[in-house]
Amino acid sequence: KHVLIPRPETEEVVDWITKTLKADEALEMLDVGTGSGCIGISLALHFANAGVTALDVSSDALTVARKNALALGAANIGFLKLDFSQPSARKQLPPCDVLVSNPPYIPWAEKPGMEKLVTDWEPEVALFVPHQNPLFFYE
């Protein structure tokens, strides 16, 4: 109830990164809107020499992600509570070589037409953009 259920596209993002970069590279990676941690944790496990920072605006999501990282043995990942939608907050971010995210992209106006299976079980902060612009986080 605290994180978005990962979709097939999430796996495709991780797969693309792992096939594009060398596994032994010492990279700094940033996972924005980590939710369950599935992207950041997968990258941390694949890139053992990398440092991964996973951030989210939700304390509950970060709790889930930390538990998942511990259960999977991902030691090279750190977690940060931060509201990425705020320009002043973004200034606090560490430098990175890889920025990855599967951010919210649904405008609030679309909620009434969505399936209850989604809106009743997944957190709104993980689904809906804070503004009406679906590309807000991408921009």
Side-chain angles (χ1 to χ4, degrees):
K1 69 180 179 178
H2 299 299
V3 298
L4 185 72
I5 299 167
R7 307 294 198 271
E9 311 79 66
T10 306
E11 185 176 349
E12 291 172 11
V13 169
V14 172
D15 188 53
W16 181 78
I17 294 170
T18 60
K19 287 180 178 175
T20 303
L21 302 172
K22 295 178 183 171
D24 61 349
E25 288 189 76
L27 302 166
E28 290 301 320
M29 300 182 169
L30 182 62
D31 176 16
V32 176
T34 196
S36 68
C38 64
I39 293 175
I41 294 167
S42 295
L43 293 174
L45 292 171
H46 183 83
F47 296 97
N49 296 327
V52 179
T53 301
L55 67 94
D56 206 290
V57 68
S58 166
S59 296
D60 290 332
L62 289 169
T63 298
V64 171
R66 282 185 187 100
K67 287 180 184 177
N68 288 339
L70 183 62
L72 294 167
N76 55 330
I77 186 168
F79 298 93
L80 178 64
K81 184 177 189 303
L82 186 131
D83 185 351
F84 192 79
S85 70
Q86 300 300 315
S88 60
R90 292 194 295 267
K91 292 178 183 178
Q92 301 172 39
L93 295 174
C96 66
D97 302 299
V98 176
L99 174 78
V100 63
S101 183
N102 186 11
Y105 54 85
I106 304 169
W108 280 96
E110 292 184 23
K111 183 178 179 180
M114 294 177 64
E115 293 184 32
K116 291 279 191 192
L117 181 63
V118 174
T119 59
D120 286 355
W121 294 100
E122 297 189 279
E124 291 179 341
V125 70
L127 294 170
F128 301 103
V129 289
H131 309 287
Q132 288 300 333
N133 178 6
L135 299 178
F136 172 77
F137 286 103
Y138 295 95
E139 292 172 350

